[in-house]
Amino acid sequence: MKSSWRTFYLLAGGLLFLVVGCGGNEQVANKQTLRQKRSSSSSSDSVPKLKSSGPKSLTKSRDKKKQPEFDGKPENFFEVVDYIHNFQIRKPGPNSEADEQYAVLLPAQKGIDSTTFSVIKSGSQGDQGIPDSTFELPKGFLAIDDAGYSAQGLPNRIRCDRDYSEMVLVPAGVSIQGEENGSKNASPQFTIYQNAFYIDVYEVTLEQYRRWRSEMIAQKGKLPEPAGNDRQPAAFPAMGISYTDAINYARTMGKQLPRETQWEKAARGESGFVYPWGNGRALWHKTRMPGQIDPVGSFSGDQSPYGVLDLSGNAREWCDDWYSENSYQAATTLADAGIVRGWNGPRRSVIPSMRVVRGNQKSWDVRKRIGENMRTPPADVGFRCVLNLPKPADESDTPEKSKNKKSF
């Protein structure tokens, strides 16, 4: 009889997990309180324990049917960590590869912890707008209509015809840059306003770089150097790329290299997370170590609030800024009412040939910055591109001129 009851609870627990983790057709899932069975194993790889909902809720449930406890393989569970913004729920069983992306929204109430949350499908966040008829993308870029439009009417995602890259919108607004009480070259923390821009979802791959290099050879122009990791498979990020070759690639595609303020906003979101997914621990579906290089997009948990991948891991990336240890101190002197506007880093070389590289070899923290020689790049440095949108009308414009301009 005990064996039968145990089988019942296992089946009920599995069904409850599917309801919580795999409600793919519901836009907003009901709040759930997950309880994890204390593992009898002493292994450090056991399923992480979630906080208890407290004695009060246990007392209330005494007269109700006892909740089934979870049991099974650790890989069939997920953990919710405070301030996590993105994570992956992997469906158990034969359909395990048919996964979907979700986000966790923690209620902004005191006394609520990470055991109480709402699960929503990624992409359903915020207000969905309608296309702005006055906005036109530059030639060679097309809107991906299925991705929807922002509240301002801009396409959430676009595609570049030249290199077939997909780009995601980072809306105009303020964001947090730098860190308090951190390393000298990334301090102090400040707030910055930036115009809207699009950024590549993935790093430029070897396939894309090889195709561009072949075109340059055919045109008999200045020949770019092959990637330092040219022998790796096509889906790996192109690395060992000089700053000059990176910026020439971007210009050929009608794009630019990102400013480091753009790179950091794309990675941290408006709230200034420590990691792209939030301020909690990383949730990888397989082993991943800092400095490890994989095909682009291999780890969907390394996803920023805007949907940009591999900003925390994979290749480190060039930015279009001269490097200075005192850049952030200089930026804060330009603050107006506590907000920095129109800052693009040093105007000229501070340390000869040193450009900013973002990404971290030793941890997942995306606040770190360093300078590298633009002519002799390290083996792990690659890049991605941005598409800058028109600046908003400034105060000097006349009402007649401003009437036909759109602020993005």
Side-chain angles (χ1 to χ4, degrees), residues 385-399:
C385 305
V386 299
L387 175 66
N388 293 313
L389 296 180
K391 295 180 180 180
D394 58 42
E395 295 179 356
S396 64
D397 285 330
T398 63

Side-chain angles (χ1 to χ4, degrees), residues 192-226:
I192 184 169
Y193 176 89
Q194 298 183 81
N195 298 316
F197 62 93
Y198 287 93
I199 188 168
D200 288 343
V201 174
Y202 306 106
E203 297 150 324
V204 173
T205 64
L206 281 170
E207 179 181 6
Q208 292 169 317
Y209 187 81
R210 289 167 183 161
R211 187 189 306 121
W212 169 72
R213 187 167 179 269
S214 296
E215 291 174 1
M216 295 300 101
I217 292 173
Q219 294 175 15
K220 299 181 180 180
K222 186 176 180 180
L223 299 183
E225 295 292 327

Side-chain angles (χ1 to χ4, degrees), residues 1-15 37-41 65-73 77:
M1 180 64 70
K2 290 183 178 180
S3 176
S4 298
W5 278 107
R6 177 173 177 80
T7 301
F8 169 77
Y9 284 134
L10 286 173
L11 291 172
L15 288 172
K37 183 177 181 180
R38 186 180 298 275
S39 175
S40 59
S41 170
K65 186 177 179 179
K66 182 181 177 182
Q67 273 192 322
E69 295 178 318
F70 291 130
D71 201 349
K73 297 180 179 180
F77 294 86

